[in-house]
Amino acid sequence: MSRAFVFPGQGAQAIGMGQALAEAYPAARAVFDEVDEALGEQLSTLIWEGDIETLTMTQNAQPALMATSLAAMRALEAEGVHVTDAAFVAGHSLGEYSALAAAGALSVHDTAKLLRTRGLAMQQAVPVGVGAMAAVLGLDLAAVRAVADEAAQGQICEAANDNDPAQVVVSGHKEAVERAVDLAKARGAKRAVMLPVSAPFHCQLMAPAAEVMGEALATVWIEAPKVPVIANVLAEPVQDPETIRDLLVKQITGAVRWRESVEYLVAQGVDETWEIGAGKALSGMVRRIDRAVTCRAVGTAEDVKFVMETLV
């Protein structure tokens, strides 16, 4: 089978994630230790013993989810499965950073610091209450883009996440997003609901955050990844370090083209995805994009043992 490793984005966080991995695999524990050192705080204690509201804060959730994904990857490596066993890696939004770290393009230390900066910058780019996001179910991308354009009325309203054939997320000014919800329902959406997010991600309102990330990314060393990484904004693989740097800046305001990314993988012969890290959201998206793809979730020590047994 041709395999891709995929890495989850914000929303998958949960108290206790990665703890069993850290207890079972010293290499997984070392990831959390490295993230703690990079941030100068015990993020691992928050992940394993804290409250979900604090963990869900963008500046905490982003490095925490990356740490959990990389811990799962290190556990797999300890069992003999390496990133180079995948034909491609890909990640949803912040998951692209996890994918790059797993593929050796970024160090764990730098990735943790970048994601802390990214989370803070995205949160601070727009005052609380000014922006919003909403999920539209049952309309395709073209229909949602038309809804967003009509709803804008001089404000920002954009299709931000093209997740799968049944779900597109819009982002922008709160009033415009609320208008988009009403318009989508009127045009036959099965559901259109406001999302409980703290900022309007992946739209032009994030321009101040993109500027911050441009400065932060300019200071880190990026290697060519060991396997091609699917870029969110292109839905195609990238391997050149300077192109990766540029696209990570553009990703802040650009749409997450997840449906097209998975379609690209399938077109290249990928017939199996392993979701590395917390949750199973990406596996659900992949199944809705192409039911022929086999999906595995690898986020716990039990998951690692199960996939290893099935590979024998």
Side-chain angles (χ1 to χ4, degrees):
M1 299 183 84
S2 181
R3 183 182 303 153
F5 294 154
V6 299
F7 297 83
Q10 211 160 325
Q13 64 273 4
I15 296 298
M17 63 183 184
Q19 187 169 11
L21 286 167
E23 292 170 351
Y25 296 94
R29 174 74 213 207
V31 172
F32 288 102
D33 290 343
E34 189 169 357
V35 170
D36 287 350
E37 182 183 359
L39 300 180
E41 64 183 67
Q42 293 295 307
L43 183 67
S44 58
T45 301
L46 170 62
I47 298 169
W48 299 334
E49 303 173 15
D51 63 273
I52 190 62
E53 291 80 11
T54 305
L55 179 61
T56 298
M57 292 172 65
T58 304
Q59 65 266 31
N60 293 327
Q62 295 199 17
L65 285 162
M66 180 277 296
T68 303
S69 287
L70 267 291
M73 193 72 240
R74 296 291 183 265
L76 286 169
E77 290 169 353
E79 297 286 0
V81 175
H82 299 276
V83 71
T84 49
D85 293 326
F88 299 92
V89 295
H92 191 281
S93 191
L94 83 89
E96 187 172 338
Y97 285 78
S98 305
L100 288 163
L106 289 168
S107 70
V108 172
H109 184 277
D110 285 344
T111 308
K113 295 188 77 169
L114 285 170
L115 287 174
R116 170 55 58 81
T117 299
R118 184 178 185 266
L120 285 168
M122 294 172 84
Q123 187 60 62
Q124 295 168 356
V126 181
V128 174
V130 170
M133 300 180 78
V136 178
L137 309 182
L139 295 180
D140 65 17
L141 178 62
V144 174
R145 280 179 172 161
V147 163
D149 287 345
E150 185 173 334
Q153 297 181 19
Q155 294 182 306
I156 300 295
C157 189
E158 302 171 10
N161 294 22
D162 180 17
N163 285 333
D164 61 50
Q167 184 191 100
V168 181
V169 174
V170 296
S171 181
H173 285 105
K174 184 172 183 287
E175 299 86 355
V177 172
E178 289 171 342
R179 289 192 292 269
V181 165
D182 292 338
L183 279 169
K185 291 176 180 175
R187 295 187 183 179
K190 292 178 182 177
R191 289 185 69 201
V193 294
M194 302 295 286
L195 295 176
V197 296
S198 56
F201 305 130
H202 297 291
C203 75
Q204 289 305 312
L205 288 176
M206 288 287 109
E211 187 173 334
V212 171
M213 288 309 297
E215 295 173 357
L217 283 157
T219 68
V220 301
W221 180 256
I222 301 178
E223 297 271 4
K226 296 173 185 175
V227 297
V229 180
I230 306 298
N232 280 195
V233 297
L234 293 182
E236 293 178 358
V238 291
Q239 287 186 281
D240 174 68
E242 293 312 310
T243 302
I244 290 169
R245 195 187 312 273
D246 179 59
L247 292 175
L248 287 176
V249 177
K250 292 179 177 175
Q251 190 221 56
I252 298 291
T253 55
V256 176
R257 297 169 63 181
W258 188 252
R259 175 184 57 83
E260 293 174 273
S261 296
V262 174
E263 288 173 349
Y264 177 88
L265 293 174
V266 172
Q268 302 307 306
V270 169
D271 52 10
E272 181 179 73
T273 62
W274 289 23
E275 183 169 1
I276 312 295
K280 300 179 180 180
L282 295 186
S283 296
M285 292 179 196
V286 171
R287 289 189 185 96
R288 289 189 289 274
I289 295 165
D290 193 321
R291 291 199 169 275
V293 178
T294 300
C295 300
R296 301 170 183 261
V298 187
T300 68
E302 291 76 15
D303 292 337
V304 173
K305 289 182 174 61
F306 178 76
V307 297
M308 295 312 302
E309 289 168 0
T310 62
L311 290 178
V312 173

